[in-house]
Amino acid sequence: ALRRAGGISCVSASLGNYLLEQVGTHSEPRVIHNALDKGIFHPMDRDECRQRLGLPVSCRIAGLGGSISEYRGVNAVFRAPRSLIESGREIHLALAGAVAADAEIPESPYIHYLGQLDYADMPYFYNALDVGIVTNKDNPFSRYCFPQKFFELCACARPVVVAAVGDVSEYISPCEQGLFPPGDSHRLALALEKQLETPCLANVTVPDWAEQGARLAGLLETLEPSQAL
């Protein structure tokens, strides 16, 4: 089907390159990332967001939203703040999302699990953080996906630390201090400390649904009627 397709859209450049290499499509894949509603995801007052969610106000908080799974390397996220705490640099960890069977959230006064928040509450969660975490392991899913939470954090003007796998490594420029090798809790702790002490915001333009819809429409308009069917 991909070889015969008159047009192909994919969620990341790495996936597009994979298709060209492995499938041999005659159509150049067009990258169309997931989008978000900028009327919902935008900067808000940090302390007000913490109070809304019941998070402590006067402390440093790193946070992870989305799937809490070891398939995505969450154990490194659990270990990194603990190592900072043990070295005298207090930091709390906020979590929101479904807990997979391969993960268990440690019991700690420094860890705040908020459960599965409604989508409308996620902007408050991201804005409550001092730094957001985007974790993944080096596996096929991570190499070819594009983590939506990265765009959501950027739209909320939050510093991020990101596992260096897939397209997102290119998008975090000029904040390479926020990159860490997948699964490396020590380097994750260092990245967290740097982003907490001297925050750096990724220089990205976050797309909204209208922009991505226009890109998809542009792709469809290039097709012959028979291809569109």
Side-chain angles (χ1 to χ4, degrees):
L2 288 168
R3 289 191 184 99
R4 297 199 310 270
I8 299 171
S9 72
C10 54
V11 76
S12 68
S14 55
L15 179 58
N17 292 333
Y18 175 82
L19 293 177
L20 288 173
E21 294 167 2
Q22 300 296 322
V23 181
T25 64
H26 69 272
S27 177
E28 182 83 20
R30 188 171 301 187
V31 178
I32 303 177
H33 293 304
N34 290 325
L36 52 81
D37 185 346
K38 293 181 182 179
I40 299 175
F41 289 92
H42 55 81
M44 291 182 278
D45 184 83
R46 189 198 68 175
D47 292 351
E48 289 181 4
C49 291
R50 290 184 178 186
Q51 291 171 350
R52 182 186 180 99
L53 298 174
L55 291 170
V57 174
S58 57
C59 65
R60 303 188 304 172
I61 301 180
L64 172 67
S67 176
I68 301 171
S69 168
E70 178 51 17
Y71 183 72
R72 298 193 180 186
V74 75
N75 282 330
V77 176
F78 296 150
R79 291 192 299 268
R82 188 172 65 215
S83 68
L84 289 174
I85 291 166
E86 290 170 352
S87 63
R89 290 161 288 185
E90 184 173 311
I91 179 175
H92 290 235
L93 177 65
L95 303 165
V99 182
D102 65 357
E104 183 176 350
I105 299 174
E107 291 287 338
S108 169
Y110 296 98
I111 296 179
H112 312 274
Y113 177 53
L114 303 180
Q116 291 184 257
L117 296 177
D118 290 337
Y119 180 73
D121 288 326
M122 289 309 296
Y124 300 109
F125 176 75
Y126 291 133
N127 277 287
L129 306 177
D130 291 299
V131 59
I133 302 171
V134 180
T135 183
N136 268 313
K137 281 191 166 181
D138 187 6
N139 54 40
F141 171 79
S142 301
R143 289 178 214 130
Y144 304 120
C145 76
F146 189 92
Q148 177 71 0
K149 62 179 67 69
F150 174 74
F151 272 163
E152 292 170 347
L153 284 160
C154 290
C156 294
R158 294 294 81 202
V160 294
V161 296
V162 178
V165 58
D167 282 17
V168 74
S169 298
E170 304 295 328
Y171 279 80
I172 199 172
S173 176
C175 304
E176 283 79 6
Q177 68 180 29
L179 286 173
F180 67 95
D184 190 328
S185 61
H186 174 69
R187 293 284 295 277
L188 171 54
L190 293 177
L192 281 171
E193 187 173 26
K194 289 178 181 177
Q195 285 290 62
L196 287 166
E197 296 301 325
T198 55
C200 178
L201 300 180
N203 183 24
V204 298
T205 300
V206 178
D208 62 22
W209 289 110
E211 292 168 324
Q212 299 303 65
R215 290 189 176 96
L216 180 58
L219 172 61
L220 295 175
E221 288 168 359
T222 66
L223 305 181
E224 298 293 333
S226 60
Q227 294 173 322
L229 296 174

